[in-house]
Amino acid sequence: MSDKQVLNFEISQSNFNSVVLMNSYKLPVFTLFMSPSLGMCIQLENLLTKYAEDFAGEFLLARIDIDMETDLREQYEIVNVPTLKVFKDGEMVHQEVGLLEEAELAALLKSFGIYKASDDMREKAKQMHLNNDTAGAIKTLTEAIQSDPRNTRVALDMIQILLDINELEEAKSLFNRLPDKDKNSEIGKAIVGQMTFKDLAAKTPGLVSLIKMVDEDPANYEARLYLAVCYVAEHAYEEALDQTFEILENMPGFKDGAAQELTITIINMLEGSQPELAKDARRILGNMLAK
């Protein structure tokens, strides 16, 4: 097999031994037991597919539809999906049940020697940014881009930092140079959402002014709506939801249901990154609409 060949296969009972077990003597085989009807399975499949492309030839991705391959499901005692089993030398050596976040999957791949030095630099930059050394983080990511320009995750990290420090035009410029597959990825879509809210927030009186306006007049629902937009732009999602729920509680029809529409948008944005907050917000919204 060529080092640059993307190893991503659909597996059935008939080819399991030849594709999964036999190849596991050459390289790790990440075997995903999944159901195409479940969102979590699709999310993990998409993430694994991206890594199979990024690390072409370094591991094999085997995808098994348990609804079709019931014998394999029973043989490998699959109860919940997604279930990820890693095979080496003909044996299952690791198992994960449930959805893995990107960082968790990256750590798992690294434990099998599948990683890029530029990804270590990404993690270093992330910690620097969290520790308020944003200049150092940008420098580190710049070095990572120069050393490994094909690792577009580095560019996505840089765009996120630029958005965090409100360098919107620079972020847009870098984002527009990304391949379409990155723009249309889950992270890419999230970034588009952030840029959209940054643009919208720039057209409001601003966070500080809006907080003062709401304090002076709690029934100023237009200010509350704009304030929610500004909070989303600053990643303060709980605060944004507090504002939209306040509007829905007191004037649900305000601006033709704008608060409900914004609430749903926020919930959808949170599904991937903060699922518990999204779940709670969806429950609160459902209770409000049921009144």
Side-chain angles (χ1 to χ4, degrees):
M1 290 178 289
S2 168
D3 287 343
K4 295 185 178 180
Q5 181 182 356
V6 176
L7 306 174
N8 185 353
F9 299 95
E10 291 185 12
I11 303 300
S12 65
Q13 182 73 54
S14 63
N15 68 357
F16 184 88
N17 287 346
S18 62
V19 177
V20 175
L21 297 184
M22 294 305 295
N23 278 308
S24 73
Y25 288 94
K26 304 173 187 176
L27 74 177
V29 178
F30 283 65
T31 306
L32 177 63
F33 293 83
M34 60 177 290
S35 173
S37 62
L38 295 178
M40 285 198 304
C41 291
I42 299 301
Q43 281 181 260
L44 186 53
E45 179 190 21
N46 290 342
L47 191 52
L48 281 162
T49 296
K50 177 172 172 55
Y51 275 111
E53 294 169 353
D54 289 347
F55 294 98
E58 295 189 39
F59 76 97
L60 187 149
L61 172 58
R63 296 170 288 111
I64 300 172
D65 181 348
I66 63 164
D67 300 325
M68 299 293 291
E69 303 300 328
T70 54
D71 289 342
L72 286 173
R73 179 182 66 194
E74 293 176 6
Q75 179 181 347
Y76 285 95
E77 301 177 340
I78 304 302
V79 178
N80 298 306
V81 288
T83 291
L84 181 64
K85 293 178 182 282
V86 184
F87 288 82
K88 283 193 73 177
D89 298 326
E91 301 289 339
M92 195 271 286
V93 296
H94 188 87
Q95 173 175 285
E96 296 282 351
V97 179
L99 180 62
L100 293 175
E101 299 296 332
E102 182 174 3
E104 295 173 318
L105 183 55
L108 176 58
L109 286 164
K110 189 173 183 180
S111 71
F112 287 92
I114 304 164
Y115 71 100
K116 296 179 179 180
S118 55
D119 283 329
D120 285 342
M121 297 174 76
R122 288 177 60 219
E123 185 58 33
K124 179 182 177 182
K126 178 181 177 181
Q127 293 305 316
M128 295 172 81
H129 183 47
L130 290 174
N131 292 328
N132 296 318
D133 183 10
T134 299
I138 291 174
K139 180 181 178 182
T140 300
L141 289 176
T142 301
E143 292 171 355
I145 290 173
Q146 292 170 344
S147 66
D148 188 3
R150 296 182 62 185
N151 188 351
T152 52
R153 290 191 297 272
V154 180
L156 288 166
D157 288 352
M158 180 73 87
I159 292 166
Q160 184 61 68
I161 288 180
L162 290 172
L163 288 173
D164 289 346
I165 61 175
N166 292 316
E167 294 292 344
L168 183 56
E169 294 309 313
E170 270 194 72
K172 287 181 180 179
S173 176
L174 184 54
F175 183 82
N176 289 334
R177 297 199 295 271
L178 289 175
D180 287 343
K181 68 181 182 68
D182 291 298
K183 292 178 183 177
N184 296 324
S185 68
E186 291 301 315
I187 296 175
K189 291 176 182 177
I191 284 174
V192 169
Q194 290 182 56
M195 291 192 296
T196 299
F197 274 97
K198 290 281 187 183
D199 276 330
L200 291 172
K203 298 173 184 177
T204 73
L207 187 67
V208 174
S209 295
L210 288 165
I211 290 173
K212 183 179 179 181
M213 291 166 67
V214 170
D215 285 343
E216 292 175 349
D217 181 8
N220 187 341
Y221 298 120
E222 182 168 354
R224 285 189 181 277
L225 192 65
Y226 288 151
L227 181 55
V229 167
C230 289
Y231 276 136
V232 173
E234 298 298 324
H235 312 304
Y237 299 110
E238 290 189 61
E239 290 84 350
L241 288 167
D242 286 343
Q243 298 304 319
T244 60
F245 287 146
E246 184 70 22
I247 299 170
L248 287 169
E249 182 70 30
N250 294 284
M251 190 174 286
F254 178 71
K255 284 198 170 181
D256 297 321
Q260 179 180 332
E261 183 179 344
L262 180 54
T263 302
I264 293 171
T265 298
I266 296 169
I267 291 171
N268 290 338
M269 288 177 66
L270 293 171
E271 291 286 3
S273 59
Q274 298 185 51
E276 288 302 315
L277 179 56
K279 181 180 178 181
D280 289 343
R282 197 177 295 281
R283 175 182 53 78
I284 293 170
L285 178 61
N287 291 339
M288 285 185 164
L289 296 179
K291 290 181 179 179

